[in-house]
Amino acid sequence: MSEVALDDIDRGILFLLQNDARNITIAEIAEGVNVAASTVRNRIEDMEENGVIEGYSPKIDYEKANYPLHVLFVCSASANEREKLAAGILDQHGVVDVREMLTSKRNIYVEVVATDTRDLTEITNEFTSIGFSIESSEIITNHYTRPWAEFEFEEAEN
Amino acid sequence: MSEVALDDIDRGILFLLQNDARNITIAEIAEGVNVAASTVRNRIEDMEENGVIEGYSPKIDYEKANYPLHVLFVCSASANEREKLAAGILDQHGVVDVREMLTSKRNIYVEVVATDTRDLTEITNEFTSIGFSIESSEIITNHYTRPWAEFEFEEAEN
Amino acid sequence: MSEVALDDIDRGILFLLQNDARNITIAEIAEGVNVAASTVRNRIEDMEENGVIEGYSPKIDYEKANYPLHVLFVCSASANEREKLAAGILDQHGVVDVREMLTSKRNIYVEVVATDTRDLTEITNEFTSIGFSIESSEIITNHYTRPWAEFEFEEAEN
Amino acid sequence: MSEVALDDIDRGILFLLQNDARNITIAEIAEGVNVAASTVRNRIEDMEENGVIEGYSPKIDYEKANYPLHVLFVCSASANEREKLAAGILDQHGVVDVREMLTSKRNIYVEVVATDTRDLTEITNEFTSIGFSIESSEIITNHYTRPWAEFEFEEAEN
Amino acid sequence: MSEVALDDIDRGILFLLQNDARNITIAEIAEGVNVAASTVRNRIEDMEENGVIEGYSPKIDYEKANYPLHVLFVCSASANEREKLAAGILDQHGVVDVREMLTSKRNIYVEVVATDTRDLTEITNEFTSIGFSIESSEIITNHYTRPWAEFEFEEAEN
Amino acid sequence: MSEVALDDIDRGILFLLQNDARNITIAEIAEGVNVAASTVRNRIEDMEENGVIEGYSPKIDYEKANYPLHVLFVCSASANEREKLAAGILDQHGVVDVREMLTSKRNIYVEVVATDTRDLTEITNEFTSIGFSIESSEIITNHYTRPWAEFEFEEAEN
Amino acid sequence: MSEVALDDIDRGILFLLQNDARNITIAEIAEGVNVAASTVRNRIEDMEENGVIEGYSPKIDYEKANYPLHVLFVCSASANEREKLAAGILDQHGVVDVREMLTSKRNIYVEVVATDTRDLTEITNEFTSIGFSIESSEIITNHYTRPWAEFEFEEAEN
Amino acid sequence: MSEVALDDIDRGILFLLQNDARNITIAEIAEGVNVAASTVRNRIEDMEENGVIEGYSPKIDYEKANYPLHVLFVCSASANEREKLAAGILDQHGVVDVREMLTSKRNIYVEVVATDTRDLTEITNEFTSIGFSIESSEIITNHYTRPWAEFEFEEAEN
């Protein structure tokens, strides 16, 4: 299996990065998890190389950025094309997030932001033209994420 | 309305941050969108203040981090409690992402990572004890995101 | 039964009114269905009185009128309250059309126009606070009506 | 975008027309929204030209007009043909209203009035012969509309 | 178990009765299944007494009898009341046939004939007032039955 | 329309026939609805000829007749073949009743009686071989019918 | 019919075997059901030969055996291939149990044990490549069986 | 975690037991997996103690044993009672197998064998009286299991 053994230091680093991946310094992380800065640097490099960390991105409030519509489309793609289509759909206008599910139907969940119904219609026309069947649409009103408590670093007392 | 008017420079900055929010420097962004570094710094501060940028986080491959199970639970919460419960569920063990929908049923989508079925059972027991009804579970096999093409900066030629 | 016996002249009048209820004159209708103007006037009065004609209204393109979102909510209301709630929901902000169905669930279809997701959220909060359960939402992309061919007046040749 | 900026006067005119599009005079509207008759005339012409007002029609109680059955058919049409079929279905016997939805299934809602089951059977045979799949039928018991409160003109006091 | 052992003669008698329960004579049945008239008389009495034959009824075409609407309602009644309600619903106006299913939901299928939508509305109001939830309605277009081939008498050749 | 105008006498005759179509005599019916025997005879002939009465049959308790399984299959047949298949399915082993619905899916309801699971499997194999898709199966526990109260003859007192 | 008439002794033997099919001796069973050991031996042989007993197997707790995921897949296979596919699927990696249902959809229930999501993905890819459509997945948390009370031997007293 | 590390020998023993848990001797197993008989005995004891092997049972063909009906009931039990009810249902007449699922609805799958519809009705009455809601019933036509290929012992050649 391609899994990686993370220890408490790795998890503590991930937790602090989840708080503010852009502005926190190596030194601050080192202080937070109580190891040397060089260790933090190595651990981050390792996690980037083995793929535990896939990248860093800003969390954007699309509604504030003038995309008043945030919709989740549950789509079906045929089993053999599913993986290819799921990856490719990211290039489509309006798509911000794609999840692939295990079943043969309702197996691709696509999150879309749009300006109005006309914009949504164009986006969904593109979906169906590449072979997706749109099973249902759900209007998203809120989206929450958080630094993950499981990763929080708790130093052993002594 | 609380929407913010973004221009091409703002969008270009967002696009570059989506590529690597941690390691790209202000100078590199400034070069990418062809303005002064101080402008980039101001624009980012503005977008952080008005909430277009809600934060910065690493994208983590939980399966690689020893959580072999990635499941989407579609839950129902009563209309009056929905928003409170949706926000609160983030504190639960195993929860990494929560979306709130407009309908009265199947209105909270919770993404969970877990180690095994026993772990999942504990997590879902917590869900039902706080008042969620779990309508269905879907096993997630892949998750894709990308810097968003709509934000890509294309300099006017001259 | 409270049904009304309409003849070809009544139907012909209805058809012409469906074409342009505001601007067509009594004289033009009279010419169209080949009777005296006074007959047209009487027939319209009769149909208004017995309720075949419930009123006259402009057909509005809400999207053009700055309401970019047009959504159909399928709601459930308890059987005893259904009729009262269906009539009352018309007073709610954003509601343009309400249909009541025969079943005990999914028995009220409400059409709503809104400016953005935030607006929709407020509207649906009002729905649930008066006792509706929102079963599903469907985004409407087009709406078509037409003068009704069944009513078209075809003069007997002689 | 093809949206039109409406002001309070436009909205006030729409509201009064929704009350009685056939019988209200320009003068009465002018009095209602407190502007000159010529202004009302111009505004209405503008809204007819830019498509905010698509037409004027009587609201007919089909049950009173001897069509005792009022049924909503939820149909599916293939994505590429949906728009063409939705527009074309209006020509079919019995059809009074067609709505087109964003999804790939259950994407056309057709309202039909009919005299009896035999009549309904003929109508639905026509549907399936042009390529619609009828997913479900719902019997409509009531239909409500109203002049739209959002458009009500409220004169600034002074 | 309360089952009854039927032989070929019993089944042959049932088959002939299914053809025309009103007009066929004992003598004709006796000839058809090749036994004495007294045997036929005894067998019929036995089957009436042990409940294999529950009665005799005309098959009525309700649409021809001025009930243009023939609708199947799938209802839910709570498990403890199901049997009592299913039997009692027969007294309701418009009900012609009731079937009880094994599940806890969608467990009572009621066939109704009605004159128009208003009539249907009254009937379904009665349903909900006695505690049924109407899950869905299906419009019936045709109903077929036949003498049952399994019962056909085939005399042993000799 | 092919409907027939029934009067109170016709309905009264139907009601008495529903009580016991086999054993009630013309004289008893005549007494029940207070007309001459010849009138009863003529009315019954008329209703048989115009199809209001389609036939007379015994109501059989199949479970008592050694068919311990009574199952309702909800099937789908393609729109163009529906009517032909619905009529033809009556010839299949085990089928006792067929209803045809207005929709494109779940449009044929077939009632089957069978001896055991093996028997049911054979029956359903026949269904699928002629082109039915079996959408769901429901086990029927009770079936109720009754002389229809709407038809009950109530003589005007004088 | 291929059914076998079991008596109380047969059922008593089955009950004791259900308790511990591996370790109980013929002598212990003989004592339990109060017959000679040779009778027990003959009865077991008979039940093995006529297929009432299809085999003996350990009940395995797969989660304890390092397969942390236990999932039920509800699949559809076309009616003509269903039986062949259902039998063949047992050879697939991860499959521990297959049930075949009477309907045309959702007609094969497959129980799978797996190590992680990647393992599940491979297994389900095999399913779809042989022609199964995976309708839904359910995560199993517990599985209970027991010696069957109906088979318990209760000796007639004295 | 309570998982147990099994090696190839353990798995090979399990595979042979799955072939015939009753009649295979320790010596035959020892030969099959190429270790000493005492090792086999120890390994089996270990697996019985740590719960990998939960018991040994005959696989019974209930249809051959005069239970012609084999039905899967999908039930719902409230989240807090689910586990208790799932375990307790095994004592009910007719129940042969119970599975518990992760969701809040359709969370208990119960397999039942019965003699006829009347028997099934009694069984399901017991279900609902202890608080189960029966969501759907599926008639099982075949059930397949097999010694599990993953456990097959393949001796390292040398």
Side-chain angles (χ1 to χ4, degrees), chain E residues 1-3 79 82 102-105, chain H residues 73 116 118 124 128 133-136:
Chain E
M1 246 171 306
S2 57
E3 288 176 17
R82 186 181 55 181
L102 203 60
T103 48
S104 301
K105 283 172 190 162
Chain H
F73 289 103
D116 57 14
R118 204 155 304 177
T124 54
T128 55
S133 173
I134 302 173
E135 302 290 340
S136 64

Side-chain angles (χ1 to χ4, degrees), chain H residues 4-109:
Chain H
V4 176
L6 299 184
D7 63 11
D8 284 354
I9 292 166
D10 295 319
R11 278 193 286 269
I13 293 170
L14 287 174
F15 185 77
L16 292 172
L17 284 171
Q18 286 180 319
N19 257 318
D20 186 349
R22 178 152 181 80
N23 300 306
I24 197 168
T25 63
I26 294 290
E28 286 164 344
I29 296 175
E31 196 187 322
V33 298
N34 211 15
V35 298
S38 60
T39 305
V40 170
R41 205 170 284 115
N42 291 339
R43 294 303 185 89
I44 289 179
E45 266 172 32
D46 286 353
M47 292 193 284
E48 288 174 354
E49 263 161 38
N50 61 33
V52 168
I53 295 175
E54 299 182 307
Y56 304 91
S57 60
K59 181 159 182 270
I60 295 172
D61 181 333
Y62 289 100
E63 195 171 350
K64 287 227 171 89
N66 284 310
Y67 291 89
L69 271 172
H70 195 180
V71 180
L72 175 70
F73 289 103
V74 179
C75 304
S76 294
S78 79
N80 356 355
E81 299 189 302
R82 186 181 55 182
E83 192 158 349
K84 197 189 61 180
L85 288 181
I89 196 77
L90 271 179
D91 291 334
Q92 299 294 325
H93 161 67
V95 173
V96 293
D97 190 293
V98 179
R99 276 167 184 76
E100 203 187 323
M101 305 292 168
L102 203 60
T103 48
S104 301
K105 283 172 190 162
R106 301 180 67 83
N107 51 9
I108 300 188
Y109 284 51

